[in-house]
């Protein structure tokens, strides 16, 4: 073993039999000698550690100079590291073989099971062994990507890697920061990431929408959605759902660019982005004709007055399949809302909560043969300019199957009886 570890510093000293670098074409006899030597060396693992320490110290003392001693120590550490890595690799290989033999499911069913995991759990499973890693690399496992977090910790590289793994199998993508669990459909709890982020979601108020400028922001940049357009738009072409939460750096250009690569989009949810309502709806109208659900909550409540009547008309004409529409926190006017509610023939759910400038006049005569006749749920929470006089003017004809209507004012608490056996009109305080 002295010969193996000792490397001379000059030709006058005994040459080392252990080569300084591996030979490109090793001799079979030399491999056999190395195998036998390594086997003998590994048998020393059963020896007392004190004996090995003494032997190594004796070897150091027999070295003629400090340079040789330092070199000997370095080689011992390197050899130990090489043996440790070789042992770990072999252990992983054996474990993988064992898992593949004992795992009850075939690869296709394993991929199916892994595809049901959330994105984080899928990454954990892929790190357990090479067998699960190979299965977890299947594009079907990344059909529904959820990279939402409570604190910023996902960057563009992670998003790009996940989208590339999904490829043409990508169906839904969720990105950004959420202040707590995702709210269920119809909830009026705001999800804008604000200064009160440490407070539970139930304690958020509609006016608590200031962002953490200079304190904490998402590390996702405006180009985080670019992979949807990559590879000739393969990933975005089949995308059905896109949910974006509080990604402060996304602007109108980057969002509209992403939407242009998603012609099959059915479900779009935007919360807390610094993007304009009009430009977003124009992009949806131009690029997403199949959309069925649109949920848009403003990051600056009551200050976005960009929506125009022609934009409403284009959206109605180009997106006829819309059944759910939520525009929360925007400065809207009744005549624009009337275009939307009356225009969409399949509309069943609307939410215009915290939409300033609404007086309620758009609610008159919503029934008829045009749009609005299928409406089931309407939420108007904290619309502070709704007129009290307008309540008596609501006219819901017999063809208007309104099942649930929320109207909230601090000064009003009234419950109306059934309009018909299955119609209910409900007012209550906020």
């Amino acid at each position: 073993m002295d010969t193996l570890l000792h490397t001379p510093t000059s030709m006058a000293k005994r040459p080392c039999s252990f080569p300084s670098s591996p030979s490109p074409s090793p001799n079979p006899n030399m491999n056999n000698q190395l195998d036998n030597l390594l086997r003998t060396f590994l048998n020393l693992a059963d020896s007392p550690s004190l004996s090995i320490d003494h032997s190594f110290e004796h070897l150091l003392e027999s070295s003629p100079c400090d340079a040789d001693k330092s070199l000997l120590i370095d080689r011992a550490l390197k050899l130990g590291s090489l043996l440790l890595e070789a042992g770990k690799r072999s252990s992983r290989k054996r474990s993988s073989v064992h898992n593949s033999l004992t795992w009850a499911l075939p690869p296709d069913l394993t991929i199916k099971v892994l595809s049901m995991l959330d994105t984080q759990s899928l990454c954990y499973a892929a790190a357990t062994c090479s067998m699960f890693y190979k299965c977890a690399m299947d594009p079907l496992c990344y059909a529904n990507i959820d990279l939402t977090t409570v604190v910023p910790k996902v960057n563009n590289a992670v998003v790009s890697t996940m989208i590339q793994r999904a490829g043409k199998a990508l169906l839904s993508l969720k990105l950004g920061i959420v202040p707590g669990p995702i709210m269920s459909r119809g909830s009026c709890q705001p999800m804008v990431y604000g200064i009160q982020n440490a407070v539970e979601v139930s304690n958020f108020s509609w006016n608590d929408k200031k962002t953490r400028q200079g304190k904490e922001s998402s590390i996702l940049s405006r180009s985080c959605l670019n992979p949807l357009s990559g590879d000739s738009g393969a990933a975005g072409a089949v995308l059905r759902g896109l949910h974006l939460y509080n990604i402060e750096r996304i602007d109108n250009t980057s969002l509209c660019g992403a939407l242009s690569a998603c012609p099959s989009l059915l479900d779009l949810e935007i919360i807390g982005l610094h993007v304009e309502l009009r430009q977003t709806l124009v992009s949806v109208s131009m690029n997403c004709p199949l959309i069925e659900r649109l949920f848009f909550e403003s990051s600056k409540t009551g200050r976005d007055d960009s929506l125009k009547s022609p934009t409403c008309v284009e959206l109605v004409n180009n997106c006829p399949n819309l059944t759910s529409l939520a525009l929360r926190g925007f400065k809207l006017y009744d005549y624009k809302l009337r275009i939307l509610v009356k225009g969409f023939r399949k509309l069943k759910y609307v939410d215009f909560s915290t939409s300033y400038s609404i007086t309620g006049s758009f609610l008159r005569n919503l029934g008829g043969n045009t749009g609005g006749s299928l409406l089931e749920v309407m939420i108007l929470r904290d619309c502070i300019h709704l007129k009290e006089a307008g309540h008596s003017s609501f006219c819901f004809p017999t063809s208007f199957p309104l099942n649930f209507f929320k109207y909230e004012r601090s000064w009003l608490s009234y419950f109306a009886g059934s309009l018909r056996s299955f119609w209910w009109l409900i007012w209550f305080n906020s």
Side-chain angles (χ1 to χ4, degrees), residues 86-108:
K88 289 181 177 179
R89 283 194 298 270
S90 299
S91 178
R92 288 193 295 266
K93 289 180 181 179
R94 287 176 57 83
S95 297
S96 179
V97 172
H98 173 76
N99 290 345
S100 61
L101 293 176
T102 58
W103 183 249
L105 301 180
D108 56 338

Side-chain angles (χ1 to χ4, degrees), residues 145-165:
I145 300 175
D146 186 351
L147 295 175
T148 55
T149 58
V150 177
V151 295
K153 60 181 180 180
V154 175
N155 57 27
N156 290 8
V158 173
V159 178
S160 178
T161 299
M162 295 297 178
I163 293 178
Q164 288 176 7
R165 289 179 181 177

Side-chain angles (χ1 to χ4, degrees), residues 102-176:
T102 58
W103 183 249
L105 301 180
D108 56 338
L109 289 182
T110 302
I111 293 172
K112 180 66 175 178
V113 171
L114 293 178
S115 68
M116 297 178 182
L117 298 177
D118 60 87
T119 306
Q120 186 175 13
S121 299
L122 177 64
C123 293
Y124 288 153
T128 56
C129 71
S130 59
M131 183 195 71
F132 281 160
Y133 177 81
K134 292 177 181 178
C135 292
M137 290 302 104
D138 192 280
L140 293 178
C141 295
Y142 299 89
N144 300 289
I145 300 175
D146 186 351
L147 295 175
T148 55
T149 58
V150 177
V151 295
K153 60 181 180 180
V154 175
N155 57 27
N156 290 8
V158 173
V159 178
S160 178
T161 299
M162 295 297 178
I163 293 178
Q164 288 176 7
R165 289 179 181 177
K168 296 181 180 180
L170 183 62
L171 296 179
S172 68
L173 175 64
K174 297 180 180 180
L175 294 179

Side-chain angles (χ1 to χ4, degrees), residues 297-360:
E297 181 176 316
S298 174
S299 63
K300 41 186 180 181
T301 303
R303 287 177 286 173
D304 190 334
D305 190 19
S306 61
L307 185 62
K308 306 299 180 184
S309 296
T311 304
C312 298
V313 175
E314 291 176 1
L315 186 66
V316 167
N317 293 335
N318 296 335
C319 303
N321 298 320
L322 198 70
T323 60
S324 176
L325 175 64
L327 302 176
R328 309 203 313 188
F330 296 98
K331 192 173 183 180
L332 303 173
Y333 295 92
D334 288 79
Y335 69 94
K336 299 174 185 178
L337 297 186
R338 188 169 184 83
I339 294 174
L340 296 174
V341 176
K342 292 283 288 184
F344 290 113
R345 295 179 176 272
K346 299 181 180 181
L347 195 62
K348 296 182 178 181
Y349 171 96
V350 293
D351 182 357
F352 300 131
S353 296
T354 320
S355 298
Y356 298 152
S357 302
I358 294 179
T359 65

Side-chain angles (χ1 to χ4, degrees), residues 242-273:
L242 179 61
H243 294 192
L244 304 173
Y245 306 107
N246 303 296
I247 308 176
E248 297 180 354
R249 298 180 185 179
I250 287 186
D251 55 15
N252 291 304
T253 303
S254 56
L255 178 61
C256 293
L259 293 178
S260 66
C262 305
S264 303
L265 200 64
L266 302 178
D267 181 5
L268 176 61
E269 186 163 319
I270 301 173
I271 294 176
L273 271 61

Side-chain angles (χ1 to χ4, degrees), residues 22 41 49 179 232 332:
F41 186 77
S49 60
S232 302
L332 303 173

